[in-house]
Amino acid sequence: MEERLQKIMAHAGIASRRKAEELIAAGRVELNGKKVNELGTKADLAKDIIRVDGKLIHAAQDKVWMVLYKPAGCVTTLSDPEGRMTIAKYIEHVPERVYPVGRLDYDVEGALLITNDGDLAHQLMHPKFGVRRTYLAKVTGHIAGEMGVKLMEKLMKGVRLEDGRAKALDAGLQAHTPKNTWIRLVVAEGRPHLVKRLMEAVGHPVLKLFRADYGGIDVQGMSPGELRELSRAEVDLLKSQAGKKADAKDVDKSVGMPARRHGTTAPAPGGRRAQKRRASGARRS
Ligand code: URA
């Protein structure tokens, strides 16, 4: 059956549909030996030969879903022209051709979904739908009382940003340190630097940002650099949100704080537990 190339590529686990369109536009896709220039081009995987970056596409692989505790200090791509550390080293041992669902900024840590399921990834990321993401943002000063209430109201009412209005689906005070406050924000969009821009606009620029969960998939108990497979129930939870708008009443207000870690560079793959195991020469059972 003929289908659009980006759909075939997503099914085959090459990339999300949106990313597949970028690959086509960048001239990296060939159909029967000819570079594809048109986004609407259709093909049939049973008859046609499709190559991405010269590599032949095969029919669908098994779908895998994982969550990476992305550390701060690495980019959410598989290679970086500037030579910065990327998330590739945390996922390169995965046999399937997996990629991240959306992005976290270089300096942001937390839950990053990793998959080869292009269709579900597309539905989760699509701006029309809006899966909920929970962030903890550290800001300067002790925000509490009336000031805290006003700030949360403002965040939930929304502010005007240069690319349109933005608001938190839910916002609350999470914790205080002697000098700072952690604010919990739930948003249902993936616009670039959204939380940083939202907090800046309400007069509280972010010092540190942690994504506690994406669509309810969290990194509690994990350490930066650690990757784990999702349970059946977690994959079902993601599927149940695909193609729907996030709802404020689904928000989970009990959120874990980021893992404590010393140092500012991204850690070695596997997180603290794997590093300890490596250091002590212990073997995985
Ligand atoms: N908001 C940001 O500002 N940065 C991210 O990485 C994610 C959300």
Side-chain angles (χ1 to χ4, degrees), residues 103-105 108 135 193-196 209:
R103 270 165 203 242
L104 283 176
D105 294 339
V108 175
Y135 291 90
H193 319 301
L194 183 70
V195 176
K196 288 179 189 163
L209 189 59

Side-chain angles (χ1 to χ4, degrees), residues 176-225:
H176 292 98
T177 69
K179 291 193 186 141
N180 303 310
T181 303
W182 283 95
I183 293 173
R184 182 181 54 81
L185 288 117
V186 180
V187 295
E189 293 182 74
R191 276 189 264 166
H193 319 301
L194 183 70
V195 176
K196 288 179 189 163
R197 291 190 291 136
L198 196 53
M199 293 308 297
E200 178 100 43
V202 295
H204 294 278
V206 168
L207 300 174
K208 193 170 177 184
L209 189 59
F210 167 66
R211 179 153 75 193
D213 81 70
Y214 186 106
I217 308 303
D218 64 43
V219 289
Q220 275 189 46
M222 295 169 69
S223 48

